[in-house]
Amino acid sequence: MNLQKARFFDTQAHTSWAAADYTGPELQKIDRMIRSSGLKKGMRVLEPGCGTGRLTRILSDVVGPSGSVVALDGSAAMAASCACRVRHKTNVRVVKAALEDYPLPEDSFDVAVCHNVFPQFDDKLRAAEILADLLTESGKLIIYHFLNFDQINDPARKISRVVMHDILPRHPTMRAILKSAGLVIERLTDDSNGYLLSARISERAVTERRVRSCFLPLPISA
């Protein structure tokens, strides 16, 4: 996340769209997303662009004490609000950092949930590549919005010039981006209940990952 964009989202941390509790219909949509992702107790979850932590708290409850959630946000105000919201959750780590800038070990997460955030990535292919590297071989990437594709990209909804060009790629482009990153779409639903994409690591990417692991440098003996 660039500095200008981070500063913009700093100003939004206490607005109703970012901080208000989810409504009943929104909670129903989140339940659909959770069922689609296969989230369950004990899983390790990455949430880039966690915002004020509304979803973070729910993800924490779903994976339980035996699971974990790493929540990232490039906006200091958003990250601070998230940390406050989940302060009693022992299985959540909140980090003020953009996905592209924070080092995480590869093959670390069972699920990565991008809720209302994928359009904000300036380099969407690079973001998808990072997410793919961070997922386990059986891991899933979830890209999720309460709104459908047309509503997400409606210029009239853009509340600032800073995010005017933050759009969700059209379906063929999204498929191409994810394929280049080593991901294959399992499900893409775009309807009145919102936009929901689920992707997994491709067989080719799994094979390439295993081949790379065979050539890791050996530790130097003392």
Side-chain angles (χ1 to χ4, degrees), residues 89-190:
K89 301 289 187 181
T90 59
N91 63 345
V92 178
R93 176 158 60 102
V94 181
V95 182
K96 186 270 171 188
L99 172 71
E100 306 92 326
D101 302 327
Y102 189 70
L104 288 165
E106 294 185 5
D107 197 24
S108 298
F109 297 96
D110 302 300
V111 179
V113 180
C114 293
H115 177 45
N116 293 339
V117 70
F118 200 82
Q120 274 73 58
F121 291 127
D122 293 327
D123 186 338
K124 293 174 177 58
L125 174 57
R126 179 58 184 149
E129 290 172 339
I130 293 171
L131 290 164
D133 285 342
L134 294 176
L135 289 172
T136 64
E137 290 185 0
S138 60
K140 284 188 178 182
L141 168 64
I142 303 296
I143 298 174
Y144 175 62
H145 293 261
F146 287 143
L147 305 176
N148 62 36
F149 178 87
D150 290 334
Q151 292 169 323
I152 295 165
N153 291 342
D154 182 358
R157 294 191 62 260
K158 305 300 182 182
I159 56 179
S160 168
R161 287 180 297 175
V162 176
V163 296
M164 183 62 67
H165 300 293
D166 289 353
I167 61 172
L168 192 66
R170 293 188 176 277
H171 303 338
T173 304
M174 180 67 85
R175 290 183 185 277
I177 288 172
L178 297 183
K179 181 178 179 181
S180 295
L183 294 158
V184 59
I185 294 176
E186 291 184 314
R187 172 182 179 180
L188 201 170
T189 304
D190 181 33

Side-chain angles (χ1 to χ4, degrees), residues 43-50 56 59-60 63 67-73 82 86 91-97 99 102-105 108-109 111-113 131 134:
M43 281 189 165
R44 298 164 296 170
V45 180
L46 174 65
E47 186 194 7
C50 62
T56 314
L59 295 174
S60 169
V63 300
S68 62
V69 179
V70 174
L72 308 176
D73 204 291
C82 179
V86 299
N91 63 345
V92 178
R93 176 158 60 102
V94 181
V95 182
K96 186 270 171 188
L99 172 71
Y102 189 70
L104 288 165
S108 298
F109 297 96
V111 179
V113 180
L131 290 164
L134 294 176

